[in-house]
Amino acid sequence: MASAAEQLASNLNFSAFAKAEDLKKRIWFTIGALLVYRLGTYIPLPGINPDAFAQAFSSQSKGVLGMFNMFAGGAVQRMAIFALGIMPYISASIIMQLMTSVIPSLEALKKEGEQGRKVINQYTRYGTVLLALVQAYGISVGLENGNGIVSDPGMFFRVSTVVTLVGGTMFLMWLGEQITARGIGNGISLIIFSGIVAGLPHAISGTLELGRTGALSTGLILAIIVLAIVVIALIVFFERAQRRLLIQYPKRQVGNRMFQGDTSHLPLKLNTSGVIPPIFASSLLLLPATIAGFSQTTNMPAWASTILASLGHGQPLYMAFYAAMIVFFAFFYTAIVFNPKDTADQLKKHSGFIPGYRPGERTADYIDYVLTRITVVGAIYLVLVCLLPEFLISATGVPFYLGGTSLLIVVSVTLDTVAQIQGHLIAHQYEGLIKKSKLRGGKKAR
């Protein structure tokens, strides 16, 4: 079966894609849904002075707002109806994952299978609404406190802003679920992916314009392109890297027949935590500077000003804290999403074992030992990829760079979407082979 699948995968071509009508419908649905999302990022909130807000945003574009604007596809910069984006849903999902590991009732729900997963998803939606309400109200108050941003401040503006922003987030959550069910790929990831990719043409054209005017040398621009290709290749390699643990199943007897024991593998991803560590680390590091920028205090103590200056992009203290927090969150989030004890219990329940290790606690300890060692490598990889743009900005002053969290998301989502497309093509070709074999069998029977 494996060799047949490999042969089918190697023979995938455009003719197979042309015949896969269901796959084409899914792709067109995905494209249409993402176009709807992109249109929403250009519809501004009512009662906003766009010029005044653009001026206020430009002073905070290097803080948390700049990072959220990247994930929201420029919607924050335009203060559009999708300004909150899908981040409240992601935050609620992470909070639910943390809670399932500390609250016994949620942990029991998680083990109930599909039914338990539906209940947890519903709790996640409620959490999304709550987080979106709090964030939307904070945005409405912040906009009113801005200089000339809101034309008619008051309770009506706050209510309309909260309703609009929360409605936009809930619509994006629903749209992501529809893409996952009726389209291709993970809907939430594709929404973030499209937002990041939408900003690349403007950034690339800006960099090329700097090269045309002589602000950047041609050699430096070529070096950036080569470096971006190397980083993409590095991300692809590490995101697909796995440590596969051999799992054996004993011989079993059914009636008078003895069946040979099977073997399989337990795949452990090198980067189990994904892009969560860089997102958390960036948010926490950029938060103090953003708060200080909004407060606009002129009587800030000297020590506070020194710390804020040291936590700026390209500063050694910023890079040290950034690297340390990425490593911490890599281990922390891996411990949340992967439980070696539960995996060992599942193997023992199905009579599986790792050769050389007794089922149960010894197997759990060995899985935890292997997972810890590969997480060290994964954390180092995340640090290198995320600090690369910081070194680039510090050394050359290039305003545009490819790397860090955005590139991790783009490459990871691309790999996942391509894998799903290949899976649909393989399934379509298998269905074609089965139909042909049935037709041949019917002709022989006649």
Side-chain angles (χ1 to χ4, degrees):
M1 183 67 70
S3 61
E6 292 174 359
Q7 183 179 1
L8 282 173
S10 63
N11 292 331
L12 293 178
N13 49 38
F14 288 105
S15 62
F17 176 80
K19 297 177 182 177
E21 294 295 333
D22 179 66
L23 177 59
K24 288 193 290 185
K25 290 180 181 178
R26 286 178 172 271
I27 292 176
W28 281 115
F29 179 85
T30 303
I31 294 174
L34 293 179
L35 285 176
V36 171
Y37 160 65
R38 290 302 304 156
L39 288 174
T41 61
Y42 287 90
I43 303 175
L45 285 175
I48 297 291
N49 184 342
D51 296 332
F53 179 77
Q55 185 177 359
F57 178 83
S58 62
S59 63
Q60 302 295 328
S61 59
K62 294 183 179 179
V64 175
L65 289 182
M67 187 182 68
F68 286 165
N69 184 59
M70 176 188 68
F71 290 144
V76 177
Q77 183 178 4
R78 294 181 286 271
M79 192 44 64
I81 60 175
F82 291 159
L84 278 182
I86 204 68
M87 294 305 291
Y89 178 78
I90 296 175
S91 302
S93 300
I94 294 172
I95 291 172
M96 284 303 302
Q97 287 181 341
L98 295 175
M99 292 177 66
T100 52
S101 62
V102 296
I103 299 179
S105 58
L106 291 177
E107 187 176 4
L109 273 176
K110 185 179 179 181
K111 295 179 179 179
E112 289 183 4
E114 183 66 20
Q115 190 62 32
R117 188 181 64 82
K118 290 181 179 179
V119 176
I120 292 177
N121 286 344
Q122 193 63 29
Y123 290 158
T124 304
R125 295 187 184 99
Y126 295 150
T128 302
V129 175
L130 181 62
L131 289 176
L133 283 170
V134 174
Q135 294 178 15
Y137 183 78
I139 289 175
S140 65
V141 174
L143 291 173
E144 285 186 341
N145 293 332
N147 187 15
I149 296 177
V150 180
S151 57
D152 187 17
M155 184 56 64
F156 178 77
F157 171 78
R158 294 185 184 184
V159 172
S160 63
T161 299
V162 169
V163 171
T164 303
L165 292 178
V166 173
T169 296
M170 299 310 296
F171 176 78
L172 288 182
M173 183 180 67
W174 174 83
L175 191 66
E177 292 176 350
Q178 294 300 310
I179 293 175
T180 303
R182 303 172 58 185
I184 196 78
N186 183 282
I188 303 299
S189 299
L190 283 172
I191 287 175
I192 299 176
F193 168 86
S194 63
I196 295 173
V197 172
L200 289 181
H202 176 73
I204 292 174
S205 63
T207 303
L208 294 179
E209 180 64 21
L210 290 176
R212 189 185 66 82
T213 57
L216 294 178
S217 64
T218 304
L220 182 58
I221 294 178
L222 292 177
I224 293 173
I225 296 174
V226 173
L227 187 62
I229 295 173
V230 172
V231 171
I232 291 174
L234 183 71
I235 294 175
V236 171
F237 174 78
F238 276 94
E239 290 298 321
R240 300 185 67 178
Q242 296 178 346
R243 171 68 192 276
R244 306 177 70 188
L245 302 181
L246 179 65
I247 306 295
Q248 289 188 348
Y249 296 92
K251 297 180 180 179
R252 56 192 179 91
Q253 184 174 357
V254 179
N256 296 326
R257 299 183 62 182
M258 180 67 70
F259 290 89
Q260 187 68 27
D262 296 328
T263 60
S264 64
H265 292 88
L266 175 64
L268 301 177
K269 286 192 64 176
L270 196 66
N271 180 27
T272 307
S273 56
V275 297
I276 298 301
I279 292 176
F280 274 22
S282 300
S283 301
L284 292 178
L285 279 176
L286 294 174
L287 192 59
T290 304
I291 294 175
F294 274 121
S295 61
Q296 297 179 352
T297 54
T298 57
N299 55 348
M300 183 180 296
W303 61 268
S305 300
T306 304
I307 292 177
L308 285 175
S310 301
L311 289 176
H313 280 290
Q315 299 298 320
L317 184 61
Y318 173 86
M319 294 185 182
F321 272 112
Y322 194 26
M325 294 175 73
I326 287 175
V327 172
F328 169 76
F329 283 119
F331 279 92
F332 179 76
Y333 196 70
T334 298
I336 294 298
V337 300
F338 190 94
N339 190 332
K341 187 177 183 302
D342 290 345
T343 304
D345 291 341
Q346 288 294 324
L347 290 175
K348 185 177 181 181
K349 180 180 178 181
H350 294 89
S351 302
F353 64 94
I354 299 176
Y357 296 91
R358 184 177 301 173
E361 186 176 352
R362 289 289 303 278
T363 299
D365 291 341
Y366 175 70
I367 295 175
D368 183 65
Y369 169 74
V370 174
L371 188 64
T372 302
R373 295 183 67 182
I374 65 175
T375 302
V376 171
V377 180
I380 294 174
Y381 143 73
L382 287 176
V383 169
L384 290 176
V385 171
C386 293
L387 285 187
L388 183 61
E390 301 298 334
F391 284 118
L392 186 62
I393 292 175
S394 177
T396 63
V398 176
F400 165 68
Y401 56 88
L402 288 175
T405 309
S406 58
L407 197 55
L408 278 172
I409 294 174
V410 169
V411 176
S412 301
V413 174
T414 302
L415 289 174
D416 178 65
T417 306
V418 170
Q420 290 203 27
I421 291 175
Q422 290 180 343
H424 279 282
L425 288 176
I426 291 174
H428 175 74
Q429 289 195 349
Y430 266 126
E431 291 176 359
L433 290 175
I434 292 173
K435 289 180 179 178
K436 288 182 180 178
S437 63
K438 287 183 177 180
L439 288 175
R440 291 174 182 174
K443 290 180 180 179
K444 289 181 179 180
R446 292 178 183 175

